[in-house]
Amino acid sequence: MLKSRKELDAELDGSARAWLDAALAEAAASDAPRPGASPYASPPWELRYAAAGRHCGPEHADSVRSLLLVEARASLPSVTRLYEQGTAAERRAVLLTLHLLDLGDTALPLVEDALRANDTRLVAAAVGPYAADHLDAHAWRHAVLKCLFTEVPVAAVARLADRARGDAELARMLGDFAAERTAAGRTVPEDLRTVLGHARRTEAPTAPAPTEES
């Protein structure tokens, strides 16, 4: 889970907080002209992005990188460059932040690339809120199956119950997947039953009726 700036300030030591202050200031100034800079050069905050784990600790790197992306109002070229040139950890932070950026559906190729990977960290990050908002039904169903196949917990899938509800095609695909597992002598994951339950539900659960107070 991504941490807020306030949470990071409470957990980072003085030198890490000072580094983060400087990094966020550079990100906020990313739109300012840089005299003499090559138009093809990456802005300084992108170098900070790569160094986040080294300065703030790997346990805080996702959150720090996400703050940098948001503060810089990162554009599609920036997030694409950081994703394509980054390590798995740097790619994960991009994926975790896409829904916080004003990119519309233009960053879907990054999600699609992550879903083709066998790195479960990237798959789990790819099925977050951005995917829930922008993947079409066909791609979203295959993303859910990718989670089941790679044993990524479906708890990682944002808005799972909402998007799966009443999806007969998803239910069919899950049935086929379960049949293949059974025929191969393999267990059917409990998460499959969870998703199937959502797919077979046609109405949103209703809140319980209020009871009279005695």
Side-chain angles (χ1 to χ4, degrees), residues 99-122:
H99 68 291
L100 301 175
L101 304 173
D102 186 19
L103 298 172
D105 64 359
T106 61
L108 274 177
L110 305 184
V111 172
E112 292 163 352
D113 179 82
L115 290 171
R116 289 191 294 268
N118 291 321
D119 188 328
T120 55
R121 298 170 300 172
L122 294 183

Side-chain angles (χ1 to χ4, degrees), residues 127-210:
V127 291
Y130 186 84
D133 289 341
H134 297 292
L135 279 181
D136 64 28
H138 176 77
W140 186 83
R141 292 180 190 119
H142 282 277
V144 172
L145 285 176
K146 177 78 174 193
C147 289
L148 294 171
F149 182 77
T150 58
E151 299 183 354
V152 168
V154 295
V157 182
R159 291 175 41 209
L160 173 65
D162 177 50
R163 288 212 56 171
R165 185 181 302 119
D167 190 334
E169 177 61 14
L170 177 61
R172 182 196 66 77
M173 293 168 69
L174 293 169
D176 290 346
F177 182 71
E180 291 173 5
R181 300 272 298 194
T182 301
R186 304 179 66 186
T187 59
V188 175
E190 191 60 37
D191 271 358
L192 186 146
R193 297 183 175 89
T194 298
V195 181
L196 188 58
H198 292 311
R200 287 174 172 169
R201 186 178 295 123
T202 57
E203 296 180 356
T206 56

Side-chain angles (χ1 to χ4, degrees), residues 10 13 17-18 31 35-36 41 48 51 54 56 63 72 75 81 100 102 124 134 160 175 187 200:
D13 63 23
R17 286 197 302 273
D31 288 339
R48 299 273 194 174
R54 185 166 68 254
C56 297
S63 299
S75 64
R81 180 166 54 246
L100 301 175
D102 186 19
H134 297 292
L160 173 65
T187 59
R200 287 174 172 169

